[in-house]
Amino acid sequence: MRKAQLNIGLVLVGLVILAGVLSLLWTPYDPIRVTSNRLLPPGWPHLLGTDGMGIDIASRLLIGARYCLIVGVISVGVAAVVGVPLGMLAGMRGGWLDELTMRVADIVYAFPALLLAMLLAAAFGASTGTAMAAIGIATIPAFARIARAGTLQVVASDFVLAAKAAGTSRWGIAARHVFPNIAPLVGVQASVGFAMAILAEAALSYLGLGTPRPTPTWGAMLRDAQDVWYTQPVQALWPGLSIALAVLGFNLLGDGMRDVLDPRLREVK
Amino acid sequence: MALRIAQKLGVFALSLIGASVLIFLITNALPGNVAHVLLGTDATPDAVAELEAQLGLDRPIALRYLEWISGIASGDFGTSPLSGDPVLALITPRVGVTAWLVALGICGSLIIALPLGMLAALKRRKWQGLAISAAAQFGMAIPVFWCGIIFALVFAVWLRVLPPNGYVPLTEDPAEWLRHLVLPVLTLALVQSAVLIRYVRSAFIEVLHEDYYRTARAIGWTPLRALLRHGVRNAAISLVTVVGLQLSSSLVGAIVVEQVYNLHGLGSLLLDKVAERDLVVVQGTVMLLVLAVLLINLLVDLSYQLIDPRQRGRQQ
Amino acid sequence: MTLLEVEGLSVRFGRRRRRAIEDVSFAIEPSQRLGLIGESGSGKTVTALALMGLLPQNAAVGGEIRVNAVSVRDLDEHSYSRLRGDAMSMVFQEPMTALDPTMRVGRQVAEALLLHSRHQAGSSRKSVMAMLERVGLDEVGRIADSYPHQLSGGQRQRVCIAMALINSPDLVICDEPTTALDVTVQAKVLQVLNEVLGAEGAACLFISHDLAVVSQVCDQVIVMLDGRIVEAGTVAGVFSHPEHPYTKGLVATARLDQMPPGERLPTVPDFYRGQL
C-alpha cells in the first residue's frame, strides 16, 4: 500500500520530467506557429487535436510540462535555500531570533501566493519571474518551519550533546549532525511544495499573471480552452488532466517518502 | 485568559503592520512605481521627476508609508491616480460576490469534509475509508479553475440547468442569486474539502486513539456515537487552526473561481487593475483582503479559547 | 449460573499475526473477585479489552467469551454496546486521560447512567450526586461541575469508578486502577473500590502487577506470563505455595524487605530462566 503510493508518485513525476526534457529536443509540431488547421478534434496526425490558432495541442502540452518544472524547481529551490538555513538558525539559536523568524514566517504564511503575485505583477508586469518569486516567497515559511522543528529535535538528542561536549563548533554540528538529519524532512516538504507550486503556477498563468503568451503553459491553455468550450469542450480536458496528474504525482511522492522515512506513522499497535 | 487575549491582539497588530510594510515595499520601493507606469516606459527622466514631485512620490518612503497607513486607519484606502476613483468606491460594489463566495464556499467544504473525514477515520482500515482518502488525494490535485470549467461545461453548456456565468445580487432576486452562485460555490467547496478531509480524518484518528474515546465506548456508546459525542469537540480544537488557514486558500480560490464564472468581485477588480498596473488600487485592495484574513483568523483563534475548557484557566 | 466464562481465548495483532494472548481460559462467578497478575506485556490489558470488545480493529480474536451464558462473540456492535457500561463495565489505568477534557465530569457520569436507563435528565443529577458521594468525593456539586483538568488524579479515578458502577454492573473490569496514583491515594481509592463493589455485589476482574494490591481486593487469582495463564488458585494458596517458577519469583521479589543482609536481591527472571 505504502510502496504503491511511492511508486505511482515516481511514475507520474517521471512522466512529467520525461515530457519536459523531451520538449527541449523534439515536439511533434511547432508549438507557436499559427496554421490554418484550426480546432481539429483529436485524431491523426494531431493526436490531441489543434487549438484555436491551429497549433498542435500535444506539442503545447509537452512545452507546458517544461515550464511547470522550471517554475517548480526554481521557486521550491529558492524557498528551500532561504527557508532551511533560516529554520536551522532559529532552531539552534533559539531566543529572540527564533521568535522573530517564526513571527515573520507566520505573517508571510498568512499572505497567499496569489496576492503576492498580483502585487509583483502590478509593480513589474506579469512574467515567469514574478510568478516564481511569488510562489517561492510564499513557500519559504513552510521550509523554515519544517527545518526548525527538525532542528529542535536533533539539537536535543544525545549525540549532539556529545558532539558539543567534545567541542565541535556550532557550524560543525549544523553541517555534520543537524542538516543530514533534517534532510529527509526537507525532501518530503520539497515534493509536497512542488505540487503546490505547480497548482499555483497553473492558477497564475490561467489568470494571466504568469508566463505571458505565446508560451504555452497548462494554465493558459485552459484559459484558451474556455473560449471554445461550446465547440471543442474536449480541449479543456488535456491541460487540466496534465496539471492534476503532475500534482498528484508530487503529492504521492511526498506522502510516500514521509511514510517510508517516518516509522512513527506506521500503526504498529 | 485576559493576558492570552492581549497576546493574540498583539500578534494580530504586529502581523498587520508586517503585512502592510511588505505590501507597501513591493508597490513603492521598487522600480516601476506609479509615475513610471503613468508616463510609460519611454518617458524622460525629467518628466518622471516632475510627476513624482506632483504626486508627492519624492518624499521619504517612511513618510509616505505613514500617510498611507494612517489613511487606512481612518478609512481612506487612497485614490487611483489613473481613474481618479477612491479605492474604497471601487471595492464596495465588488465585496458582496467575493464575500458570499468565500463564506458559502467554506461552509460547503465543512459540510462535505466533516462527515466524510469522520467516516474515513472510523473506517480507515475498510474500503470506505480507503476510498475517501484516495478521492481526497485526487481532489487535492485538481486545479480549482479546471473543476469550475468542467462543472460549467456539464451543468451550464450541456445540461443547461444553471447559468454558466454572471451574478445577481441577493437583494434584487434571491432565486436568481442562488442559481448563479450554485456552481461557483460548489466548485470552491469541493476543491477546498479535499484538503480539509485529510485534516478532519487525522484529527479524528487522533481522537480514536485517545483514552477518553475508549472510556466512552466502555460506558456503552457505539463507535459512531462515541465519536460524535466526545470526538467532535476535541477534534474541533485541533481543526480550528486549519479552518483559519482554509480561509486564505478559500479567498485565493474565490478569486480564481470569479474568473471562471465571470463574476465581478474583488478578484476581477484586482486582475483588471493589475493589467492596468494601477498600483494604488492593487495595494489598497490587497491590504483590505489581508486585513480581512487576519481579522477572521484572530476571531477563530479567540473562539478556540471558548471550545477548550483547559484554555479558560482554572476556576478556583 | 456462571457470570463470565472465557474458553481458549486468543488474540493476534496485525498482518503478521503477532501473538498477544493464547489459550486463555477462566471463569468468574457472580460477586467473585478474580485477580489477574502479570508483568507489563504479559497480555493482561489485551485480555481485559478482549472481554469488553474494545480491541483495535487490527486484532484477530479467537475462542469463546460468554457473559451470563450468552456468547458475546456472536453479538453485533449495537447489542454489544448495550452490554458495555451496563452488565459489564471497566475502570482504566490512566485517570489523567480517561475523561473527555471538554465535558464537565458530572455530565460524563450522567451520560453513563442515561445511556442504559429511562432516567429523565433532571432526576439523573440526584443519582449522579449520590454515586459521586459513594466513591468518597467531597463537595460533589462542585466536582460534578468541574472539567477533568480541574481535578486531581485520585478524584478523576473516583469519577471513573462512579461511571463504571452507576448502572450496578454484574462485572467490573479494573485494569491497574491505582497504578498511576500516589501511594497514599492508592490505598484510599482501593478502599472505595472494595466498598462499592461489595455494596453492589458486583463481580470483579482485577488486573495488577502488585501482589499486595491483589490480595487486598481478590479471593482468587490467575497469573499470566507471556500471553498464557501459568497458575491459578485462591490468593492465599498461590501466594503461600506458588508452583510455577515465575509465580515463585513474583512472591519472593514482593518480600525483599525480608531478605537476609549480604545476599544479592533476586529478580523475577532468576526464578524461571531456563525453566520454561
mmCIF file with all atom_site columns, all heavy atoms in Angstrom, chain B residues 122 211 215 217 219 221 229-230 234 309 316, chain C residues 57 84-85 97-98 100-101 111 116 142 150:
data_model
loop_
_atom_site.group_PDB
_atom_site.id
_atom_site.type_symbol
_atom_site.label_atom_id
_atom_site.label_alt_id
_atom_site.label_comp_id
_atom_site.label_asym_id
_atom_site.label_entity_id
_atom_site.label_seq_id
_atom_site.pdbx_PDB_ins_code
_atom_site.Cartn_x
_atom_site.Cartn_y
_atom_site.Cartn_z
_atom_site.occupancy
_atom_site.B_iso_or_equiv
_atom_site.pdbx_formal_charge
_atom_site.auth_seq_id
_atom_site.auth_comp_id
_atom_site.auth_asym_id
_atom_site.auth_atom_id
_atom_site.pdbx_PDB_model_num
ATOM 1   N N   . LEU B 1 122 ? -13.151 6.540  10.979 1.00 0.00 ? 122 LEU B N   1
ATOM 2   C CA  . LEU B 1 122 ? -13.784 5.370  11.595 1.00 0.00 ? 122 LEU B CA  1
ATOM 3   C C   . LEU B 1 122 ? -13.498 4.103  10.800 1.00 0.00 ? 122 LEU B C   1
ATOM 4   O O   . LEU B 1 122 ? -13.256 3.047  11.367 1.00 0.00 ? 122 LEU B O   1
ATOM 5   C CB  . LEU B 1 122 ? -15.298 5.584  11.668 1.00 0.00 ? 122 LEU B CB  1
ATOM 6   C CG  . LEU B 1 122 ? -15.872 6.068  12.986 1.00 0.00 ? 122 LEU B CG  1
ATOM 7   C CD1 . LEU B 1 122 ? -17.368 6.203  12.887 1.00 0.00 ? 122 LEU B CD1 1
ATOM 8   C CD2 . LEU B 1 122 ? -15.502 5.127  14.128 1.00 0.00 ? 122 LEU B CD2 1
ATOM 9   N N   . ASP B 1 211 ? -7.692  7.947  25.244 1.00 0.00 ? 211 ASP B N   1
ATOM 10  C CA  . ASP B 1 211 ? -8.295  7.149  26.308 1.00 0.00 ? 211 ASP B CA  1
ATOM 11  C C   . ASP B 1 211 ? -9.758  7.503  26.519 1.00 0.00 ? 211 ASP B C   1
ATOM 12  O O   . ASP B 1 211 ? -10.576 6.640  26.808 1.00 0.00 ? 211 ASP B O   1
ATOM 13  C CB  . ASP B 1 211 ? -7.529  7.356  27.616 1.00 0.00 ? 211 ASP B CB  1
ATOM 14  C CG  . ASP B 1 211 ? -6.201  6.622  27.609 1.00 0.00 ? 211 ASP B CG  1
ATOM 15  O OD1 . ASP B 1 211 ? -5.970  5.860  26.647 1.00 0.00 ? 211 ASP B OD1 1
ATOM 16  O OD2 . ASP B 1 211 ? -5.403  6.812  28.539 1.00 0.00 ? 211 ASP B OD2 1
ATOM 17  N N   . THR B 1 215 ? -13.036 5.201  26.956 1.00 0.00 ? 215 THR B N   1
ATOM 18  C CA  . THR B 1 215 ? -13.967 5.280  28.082 1.00 0.00 ? 215 THR B CA  1
ATOM 19  C C   . THR B 1 215 ? -15.402 5.412  27.579 1.00 0.00 ? 215 THR B C   1
ATOM 20  O O   . THR B 1 215 ? -16.311 4.750  28.071 1.00 0.00 ? 215 THR B O   1
ATOM 21  C CB  . THR B 1 215 ? -13.632 6.492  28.976 1.00 0.00 ? 215 THR B CB  1
ATOM 22  O OG1 . THR B 1 215 ? -12.257 6.429  29.330 1.00 0.00 ? 215 THR B OG1 1
ATOM 23  C CG2 . THR B 1 215 ? -14.490 6.507  30.216 1.00 0.00 ? 215 THR B CG2 1
ATOM 24  N N   . ARG B 1 217 ? -16.592 4.386  24.814 1.00 0.00 ? 217 ARG B N   1
ATOM 25  C CA  . ARG B 1 217 ? -17.035 3.092  24.294 1.00 0.00 ? 217 ARG B CA  1
ATOM 26  C C   . ARG B 1 217 ? -17.347 2.163  25.457 1.00 0.00 ? 217 ARG B C   1
ATOM 27  O O   . ARG B 1 217 ? -18.286 1.377  25.385 1.00 0.00 ? 217 ARG B O   1
ATOM 28  C CB  . ARG B 1 217 ? -15.931 2.487  23.435 1.00 0.00 ? 217 ARG B CB  1
ATOM 29  C CG  . ARG B 1 217 ? -15.567 3.324  22.247 1.00 0.00 ? 217 ARG B CG  1
ATOM 30  C CD  . ARG B 1 217 ? -16.337 2.928  21.005 1.00 0.00 ? 217 ARG B CD  1
ATOM 31  N NE  . ARG B 1 217 ? -15.820 1.700  20.433 1.00 0.00 ? 217 ARG B NE  1
ATOM 32  C CZ  . ARG B 1 217 ? -16.501 0.579  20.328 1.00 0.00 ? 217 ARG B CZ  1
ATOM 33  N NH1 . ARG B 1 217 ? -17.730 0.510  20.779 1.00 0.00 ? 217 ARG B NH1 1
ATOM 34  N NH2 . ARG B 1 217 ? -15.972 -0.491 19.780 1.00 0.00 ? 217 ARG B NH2 1
ATOM 35  N N   . ILE B 1 219 ? -18.557 2.821  28.337 1.00 0.00 ? 219 ILE B N   1
ATOM 36  C CA  . ILE B 1 219 ? -19.825 3.039  29.020 1.00 0.00 ? 219 ILE B CA  1
ATOM 37  C C   . ILE B 1 219 ? -20.998 2.735  28.095 1.00 0.00 ? 219 ILE B C   1
ATOM 38  O O   . ILE B 1 219 ? -22.147 2.864  28.480 1.00 0.00 ? 219 ILE B O   1
ATOM 39  C CB  . ILE B 1 219 ? -19.976 4.470  29.594 1.00 0.00 ? 219 ILE B CB  1
ATOM 40  C CG1 . ILE B 1 219 ? -19.996 5.517  28.478 1.00 0.00 ? 219 ILE B CG1 1
ATOM 41  C CG2 . ILE B 1 219 ? -18.905 4.777  30.620 1.00 0.00 ? 219 ILE B CG2 1
ATOM 42  C CD1 . ILE B 1 219 ? -20.404 6.895  28.960 1.00 0.00 ? 219 ILE B CD1 1
ATOM 43  N N   . TRP B 1 221 ? -21.322 3.585  24.420 1.00 0.00 ? 221 TRP B N   1
ATOM 44  C CA  . TRP B 1 221 ? -21.575 4.255  23.143 1.00 0.00 ? 221 TRP B CA  1
ATOM 45  C C   . TRP B 1 221 ? -21.073 3.367  22.007 1.00 0.00 ? 221 TRP B C   1
ATOM 46  O O   . TRP B 1 221 ? -20.044 2.725  22.139 1.00 0.00 ? 221 TRP B O   1
ATOM 47  C CB  . TRP B 1 221 ? -20.851 5.601  23.064 1.00 0.00 ? 221 TRP B CB  1
ATOM 48  C CG  . TRP B 1 221 ? -21.367 6.695  23.939 1.00 0.00 ? 221 TRP B CG  1
ATOM 49  C CD1 . TRP B 1 221 ? -20.697 7.265  24.978 1.00 0.00 ? 221 TRP B CD1 1
ATOM 50  C CD2 . TRP B 1 221 ? -22.629 7.376  23.863 1.00 0.00 ? 221 TRP B CD2 1
ATOM 51  N NE1 . TRP B 1 221 ? -21.467 8.251  25.555 1.00 0.00 ? 221 TRP B NE1 1
ATOM 52  C CE2 . TRP B 1 221 ? -22.660 8.333  24.888 1.00 0.00 ? 221 TRP B CE2 1
ATOM 53  C CE3 . TRP B 1 221 ? -23.737 7.242  23.024 1.00 0.00 ? 221 TRP B CE3 1
ATOM 54  C CZ2 . TRP B 1 221 ? -23.742 9.170  25.107 1.00 0.00 ? 221 TRP B CZ2 1
ATOM 55  C CZ3 . TRP B 1 221 ? -24.822 8.073  23.229 1.00 0.00 ? 221 TRP B CZ3 1
ATOM 56  C CH2 . TRP B 1 221 ? -24.821 9.019  24.265 1.00 0.00 ? 221 TRP B CH2 1
ATOM 57  N N   . ARG B 1 229 ? -20.200 12.227 20.085 1.00 0.00 ? 229 ARG B N   1
ATOM 58  C CA  . ARG B 1 229 ? -20.432 12.781 21.404 1.00 0.00 ? 229 ARG B CA  1
ATOM 59  C C   . ARG B 1 229 ? -19.148 13.362 22.011 1.00 0.00 ? 229 ARG B C   1
ATOM 60  O O   . ARG B 1 229 ? -19.161 14.421 22.601 1.00 0.00 ? 229 ARG B O   1
ATOM 61  C CB  . ARG B 1 229 ? -20.955 11.641 22.280 1.00 0.00 ? 229 ARG B CB  1
ATOM 62  C CG  . ARG B 1 229 ? -21.471 12.061 23.575 1.00 0.00 ? 229 ARG B CG  1
ATOM 63  C CD  . ARG B 1 229 ? -22.970 12.244 23.542 1.00 0.00 ? 229 ARG B CD  1
ATOM 64  N NE  . ARG B 1 229 ? -23.367 12.715 24.835 1.00 0.00 ? 229 ARG B NE  1
ATOM 65  C CZ  . ARG B 1 229 ? -24.303 13.614 25.045 1.00 0.00 ? 229 ARG B CZ  1
ATOM 66  N NH1 . ARG B 1 229 ? -24.966 14.110 24.024 1.00 0.00 ? 229 ARG B NH1 1
ATOM 67  N NH2 . ARG B 1 229 ? -24.596 14.011 26.248 1.00 0.00 ? 229 ARG B NH2 1
ATOM 68  N N   . HIS B 1 230 ? -18.064 12.624 21.886 1.00 0.00 ? 230 HIS B N   1
ATOM 69  C CA  . HIS B 1 230 ? -16.831 13.042 22.560 1.00 0.00 ? 230 HIS B CA  1
ATOM 70  C C   . HIS B 1 230 ? -15.710 13.403 21.603 1.00 0.00 ? 230 HIS B C   1
ATOM 71  O O   . HIS B 1 230 ? -14.689 13.918 22.017 1.00 0.00 ? 230 HIS B O   1
ATOM 72  C CB  . HIS B 1 230 ? -16.356 11.934 23.499 1.00 0.00 ? 230 HIS B CB  1
ATOM 73  C CG  . HIS B 1 230 ? -17.294 11.685 24.636 1.00 0.00 ? 230 HIS B CG  1
ATOM 74  N ND1 . HIS B 1 230 ? -17.314 12.461 25.760 1.00 0.00 ? 230 HIS B ND1 1
ATOM 75  C CD2 . HIS B 1 230 ? -18.282 10.789 24.787 1.00 0.00 ? 230 HIS B CD2 1
ATOM 76  C CE1 . HIS B 1 230 ? -18.269 12.038 26.574 1.00 0.00 ? 230 HIS B CE1 1
ATOM 77  N NE2 . HIS B 1 230 ? -18.868 11.021 26.006 1.00 0.00 ? 230 HIS B NE2 1
ATOM 78  N N   . ASN B 1 234 ? -13.411 17.728 20.656 1.00 0.00 ? 234 ASN B N   1
ATOM 79  C CA  . ASN B 1 234 ? -11.959 17.590 20.782 1.00 0.00 ? 234 ASN B CA  1
ATOM 80  C C   . ASN B 1 234 ? -11.258 17.738 19.442 1.00 0.00 ? 234 ASN B C   1
ATOM 81  O O   . ASN B 1 234 ? -10.192 18.342 19.355 1.00 0.00 ? 234 ASN B O   1
ATOM 82  C CB  . ASN B 1 234 ? -11.623 16.234 21.408 1.00 0.00 ? 234 ASN B CB  1
ATOM 83  C CG  . ASN B 1 234 ? -11.872 16.238 22.896 1.00 0.00 ? 234 ASN B CG  1
ATOM 84  O OD1 . ASN B 1 234 ? -11.137 16.859 23.634 1.00 0.00 ? 234 ASN B OD1 1
ATOM 85  N ND2 . ASN B 1 234 ? -12.927 15.573 23.331 1.00 0.00 ? 234 ASN B ND2 1
ATOM 86  N N   . PRO B 1 309 ? -11.941 23.987 27.354 1.00 0.00 ? 309 PRO B N   1
ATOM 87  C CA  . PRO B 1 309 ? -12.044 24.474 28.734 1.00 0.00 ? 309 PRO B CA  1
ATOM 88  C C   . PRO B 1 309 ? -10.686 24.629 29.396 1.00 0.00 ? 309 PRO B C   1
ATOM 89  O O   . PRO B 1 309 ? -10.526 25.449 30.295 1.00 0.00 ? 309 PRO B O   1
ATOM 90  C CB  . PRO B 1 309 ? -12.871 23.398 29.440 1.00 0.00 ? 309 PRO B CB  1
ATOM 91  C CG  . PRO B 1 309 ? -12.866 22.222 28.549 1.00 0.00 ? 309 PRO B CG  1
ATOM 92  C CD  . PRO B 1 309 ? -12.609 22.706 27.159 1.00 0.00 ? 309 PRO B CD  1
ATOM 93  N N   . GLN B 1 316 ? -10.793 27.937 40.207 1.00 0.00 ? 316 GLN B N   1
ATOM 94  C CA  . GLN B 1 316 ? -10.601 28.394 41.581 1.00 0.00 ? 316 GLN B CA  1
ATOM 95  C C   . GLN B 1 316 ? -9.540  29.475 41.641 1.00 0.00 ? 316 GLN B C   1
ATOM 96  O O   . GLN B 1 316 ? -8.545  29.367 41.000 1.00 0.00 ? 316 GLN B O   1
ATOM 97  C CB  . GLN B 1 316 ? -10.173 27.223 42.473 1.00 0.00 ? 316 GLN B CB  1
ATOM 98  C CG  . GLN B 1 316 ? -11.250 26.182 42.560 1.00 0.00 ? 316 GLN B CG  1
ATOM 99  C CD  . GLN B 1 316 ? -10.675 24.786 42.455 1.00 0.00 ? 316 GLN B CD  1
ATOM 100 O OE1 . GLN B 1 316 ? -9.482  24.591 42.494 1.00 0.00 ? 316 GLN B OE1 1
ATOM 101 N NE2 . GLN B 1 316 ? -11.535 23.812 42.300 1.00 0.00 ? 316 GLN B NE2 1
ATOM 102 N N   . GLN C 2 57  ? -9.001  -2.394 15.673 1.00 0.00 ? 57  GLN C N   1
ATOM 103 C CA  . GLN C 2 57  ? -9.553  -3.126 14.543 1.00 0.00 ? 57  GLN C CA  1
ATOM 104 C C   . GLN C 2 57  ? -8.618  -4.180 13.966 1.00 0.00 ? 57  GLN C C   1
ATOM 105 O O   . GLN C 2 57  ? -9.072  -5.115 13.309 1.00 0.00 ? 57  GLN C O   1
ATOM 106 C CB  . GLN C 2 57  ? -9.932  -2.139 13.430 1.00 0.00 ? 57  GLN C CB  1
ATOM 107 C CG  . GLN C 2 57  ? -11.192 -1.366 13.732 1.00 0.00 ? 57  GLN C CG  1
ATOM 108 C CD  . GLN C 2 57  ? -11.439 -0.290 12.692 1.00 0.00 ? 57  GLN C CD  1
ATOM 109 O OE1 . GLN C 2 57  ? -10.802 -0.273 11.653 1.00 0.00 ? 57  GLN C OE1 1
ATOM 110 N NE2 . GLN C 2 57  ? -12.375 0.589  12.964 1.00 0.00 ? 57  GLN C NE2 1
ATOM 111 N N   . ARG C 2 84  ? -22.051 -3.084 27.389 1.00 0.00 ? 84  ARG C N   1
ATOM 112 C CA  . ARG C 2 84  ? -20.960 -2.300 27.979 1.00 0.00 ? 84  ARG C CA  1
ATOM 113 C C   . ARG C 2 84  ? -21.518 -1.152 28.827 1.00 0.00 ? 84  ARG C C   1
ATOM 114 O O   . ARG C 2 84  ? -22.412 -0.444 28.394 1.00 0.00 ? 84  ARG C O   1
ATOM 115 C CB  . ARG C 2 84  ? -20.091 -1.680 26.887 1.00 0.00 ? 84  ARG C CB  1
ATOM 116 C CG  . ARG C 2 84  ? -19.262 -2.659 26.145 1.00 0.00 ? 84  ARG C CG  1
ATOM 117 C CD  . ARG C 2 84  ? -18.310 -1.928 25.219 1.00 0.00 ? 84  ARG C CD  1
ATOM 118 N NE  . ARG C 2 84  ? -17.935 -2.835 24.146 1.00 0.00 ? 84  ARG C NE  1
ATOM 119 C CZ  . ARG C 2 84  ? -18.258 -2.659 22.877 1.00 0.00 ? 84  ARG C CZ  1
ATOM 120 N NH1 . ARG C 2 84  ? -18.917 -1.586 22.502 1.00 0.00 ? 84  ARG C NH1 1
ATOM 121 N NH2 . ARG C 2 84  ? -17.899 -3.547 21.973 1.00 0.00 ? 84  ARG C NH2 1
ATOM 122 N N   . GLY C 2 85  ? -20.942 -1.001 30.005 1.00 0.00 ? 85  GLY C N   1
ATOM 123 C CA  . GLY C 2 85  ? -21.395 0.075  30.875 1.00 0.00 ? 85  GLY C CA  1
ATOM 124 C C   . GLY C 2 85  ? -22.633 -0.319 31.652 1.00 0.00 ? 85  GLY C C   1
ATOM 125 O O   . GLY C 2 85  ? -23.046 0.382  32.571 1.00 0.00 ? 85  GLY C O   1
ATOM 126 N N   . THR C 2 97  ? -6.155  10.768 31.544 1.00 0.00 ? 97  THR C N   1
ATOM 127 C CA  . THR C 2 97  ? -6.599  10.922 30.166 1.00 0.00 ? 97  THR C CA  1
ATOM 128 C C   . THR C 2 97  ? -7.902  10.200 29.866 1.00 0.00 ? 97  THR C C   1
ATOM 129 O O   . THR C 2 97  ? -8.380  10.218 28.745 1.00 0.00 ? 97  THR C O   1
ATOM 130 C CB  . THR C 2 97  ? -5.517  10.393 29.197 1.00 0.00 ? 97  THR C CB  1
ATOM 131 O OG1 . THR C 2 97  ? -5.154  9.079  29.606 1.00 0.00 ? 97  THR C OG1 1
ATOM 132 C CG2 . THR C 2 97  ? -4.300  11.279 29.189 1.00 0.00 ? 97  THR C CG2 1
ATOM 133 N N   . ALA C 2 98  ? -8.477  9.540  30.884 1.00 0.00 ? 98  ALA C N   1
ATOM 134 C CA  . ALA C 2 98  ? -9.632  8.689  30.607 1.00 0.00 ? 98  ALA C CA  1
ATOM 135 C C   . ALA C 2 98  ? -10.924 9.483  30.448 1.00 0.00 ? 98  ALA C C   1
ATOM 136 O O   . ALA C 2 98  ? -11.924 8.945  29.971 1.00 0.00 ? 98  ALA C O   1
ATOM 137 C CB  . ALA C 2 98  ? -9.792  7.651  31.718 1.00 0.00 ? 98  ALA C CB  1
ATOM 138 N N   . ASP C 2 100 ? -13.202 12.842 29.037 1.00 0.00 ? 100 ASP C N   1
ATOM 139 C CA  . ASP C 2 100 ? -13.253 13.828 27.954 1.00 0.00 ? 100 ASP C CA  1
ATOM 140 C C   . ASP C 2 100 ? -12.907 15.215 28.504 1.00 0.00 ? 100 ASP C C   1
ATOM 141 O O   . ASP C 2 100 ? -13.619 15.737 29.374 1.00 0.00 ? 100 ASP C O   1
ATOM 142 C CB  . ASP C 2 100 ? -14.659 13.834 27.355 1.00 0.00 ? 100 ASP C CB  1
ATOM 143 C CG  . ASP C 2 100 ? -14.775 14.779 26.165 1.00 0.00 ? 100 ASP C CG  1
ATOM 144 O OD1 . ASP C 2 100 ? -13.904 15.658 26.014 1.00 0.00 ? 100 ASP C OD1 1
ATOM 145 O OD2 . ASP C 2 100 ? -15.738 14.633 25.405 1.00 0.00 ? 100 ASP C OD2 1
ATOM 146 N N   . PRO C 2 101 ? -11.799 15.826 28.018 1.00 0.00 ? 101 PRO C N   1
ATOM 147 C CA  . PRO C 2 101 ? -11.360 17.108 28.586 1.00 0.00 ? 101 PRO C CA  1
ATOM 148 C C   . PRO C 2 101 ? -12.323 18.263 28.321 1.00 0.00 ? 101 PRO C C   1
ATOM 149 O O   . PRO C 2 101 ? -12.217 19.301 28.967 1.00 0.00 ? 101 PRO C O   1
ATOM 150 C CB  . PRO C 2 101 ? -10.013 17.364 27.909 1.00 0.00 ? 101 PRO C CB  1
ATOM 151 C CG  . PRO C 2 101 ? -10.044 16.550 26.673 1.00 0.00 ? 101 PRO C CG  1
ATOM 152 C CD  . PRO C 2 101 ? -10.885 15.347 26.980 1.00 0.00 ? 101 PRO C CD  1
ATOM 153 N N   . GLU C 2 111 ? -24.087 10.656 31.642 1.00 0.00 ? 111 GLU C N   1
ATOM 154 C CA  . GLU C 2 111 ? -24.188 10.017 30.333 1.00 0.00 ? 111 GLU C CA  1
ATOM 155 C C   . GLU C 2 111 ? -24.187 8.500  30.461 1.00 0.00 ? 111 GLU C C   1
ATOM 156 O O   . GLU C 2 111 ? -24.994 7.802  29.836 1.00 0.00 ? 111 GLU C O   1
ATOM 157 C CB  . GLU C 2 111 ? -22.985 10.461 29.507 1.00 0.00 ? 111 GLU C CB  1
ATOM 158 C CG  . GLU C 2 111 ? -23.195 10.437 28.043 1.00 0.00 ? 111 GLU C CG  1
ATOM 159 C CD  . GLU C 2 111 ? -22.017 11.079 27.339 1.00 0.00 ? 111 GLU C CD  1
ATOM 160 O OE1 . GLU C 2 111 ? -20.912 10.518 27.410 1.00 0.00 ? 111 GLU C OE1 1
ATOM 161 O OE2 . GLU C 2 111 ? -22.211 12.139 26.744 1.00 0.00 ? 111 GLU C OE2 1
ATOM 162 N N   . HIS C 2 116 ? -28.232 3.794  29.651 1.00 0.00 ? 116 HIS C N   1
ATOM 163 C CA  . HIS C 2 116 ? -28.770 2.464  29.915 1.00 0.00 ? 116 HIS C CA  1
ATOM 164 C C   . HIS C 2 116 ? -30.047 2.493  30.740 1.00 0.00 ? 116 HIS C C   1
ATOM 165 O O   . HIS C 2 116 ? -30.452 1.486  31.270 1.00 0.00 ? 116 HIS C O   1
ATOM 166 C CB  . HIS C 2 116 ? -27.728 1.604  30.627 1.00 0.00 ? 116 HIS C CB  1
ATOM 167 C CG  . HIS C 2 116 ? -26.481 1.432  29.831 1.00 0.00 ? 116 HIS C CG  1
ATOM 168 N ND1 . HIS C 2 116 ? -26.403 0.578  28.752 1.00 0.00 ? 116 HIS C ND1 1
ATOM 169 C CD2 . HIS C 2 116 ? -25.263 2.024  29.912 1.00 0.00 ? 116 HIS C CD2 1
ATOM 170 C CE1 . HIS C 2 116 ? -25.191 0.646  28.222 1.00 0.00 ? 116 HIS C CE1 1
ATOM 171 N NE2 . HIS C 2 116 ? -24.483 1.517  28.911 1.00 0.00 ? 116 HIS C NE2 1
ATOM 172 N N   . ARG C 2 142 ? -19.599 20.708 43.334 1.00 0.00 ? 142 ARG C N   1
ATOM 173 C CA  . ARG C 2 142 ? -18.503 21.408 42.680 1.00 0.00 ? 142 ARG C CA  1
ATOM 174 C C   . ARG C 2 142 ? -17.752 20.460 41.745 1.00 0.00 ? 142 ARG C C   1
ATOM 175 O O   . ARG C 2 142 ? -17.399 20.807 40.628 1.00 0.00 ? 142 ARG C O   1
ATOM 176 C CB  . ARG C 2 142 ? -17.538 21.961 43.729 1.00 0.00 ? 142 ARG C CB  1
ATOM 177 C CG  . ARG C 2 142 ? -16.431 22.821 43.150 1.00 0.00 ? 142 ARG C CG  1
ATOM 178 C CD  . ARG C 2 142 ? -15.472 23.296 44.219 1.00 0.00 ? 142 ARG C CD  1
ATOM 179 N NE  . ARG C 2 142 ? -14.811 22.191 44.905 1.00 0.00 ? 142 ARG C NE  1
ATOM 180 C CZ  . ARG C 2 142 ? -13.777 21.522 44.396 1.00 0.00 ? 142 ARG C CZ  1
ATOM 181 N NH1 . ARG C 2 142 ? -13.323 21.825 43.207 1.00 0.00 ? 142 ARG C NH1 1
ATOM 182 N NH2 . ARG C 2 142 ? -13.219 20.540 45.075 1.00 0.00 ? 142 ARG C NH2 1
ATOM 183 N N   . GLN C 2 150 ? -9.469  20.137 36.125 1.00 0.00 ? 150 GLN C N   1
ATOM 184 C CA  . GLN C 2 150 ? -9.543  20.845 37.409 1.00 0.00 ? 150 GLN C CA  1
ATOM 185 C C   . GLN C 2 150 ? -9.503  19.890 38.593 1.00 0.00 ? 150 GLN C C   1
ATOM 186 O O   . GLN C 2 150 ? -9.548  20.325 39.733 1.00 0.00 ? 150 GLN C O   1
ATOM 187 C CB  . GLN C 2 150 ? -10.829 21.686 37.451 1.00 0.00 ? 150 GLN C CB  1
ATOM 188 C CG  . GLN C 2 150 ? -10.819 22.782 36.389 1.00 0.00 ? 150 GLN C CG  1
ATOM 189 C CD  . GLN C 2 150 ? -12.185 23.364 36.129 1.00 0.00 ? 150 GLN C CD  1
ATOM 190 O OE1 . GLN C 2 150 ? -13.186 22.649 36.183 1.00 0.00 ? 150 GLN C OE1 1
ATOM 191 N NE2 . GLN C 2 150 ? -12.239 24.638 35.825 1.00 0.00 ? 150 GLN C NE2 1
#
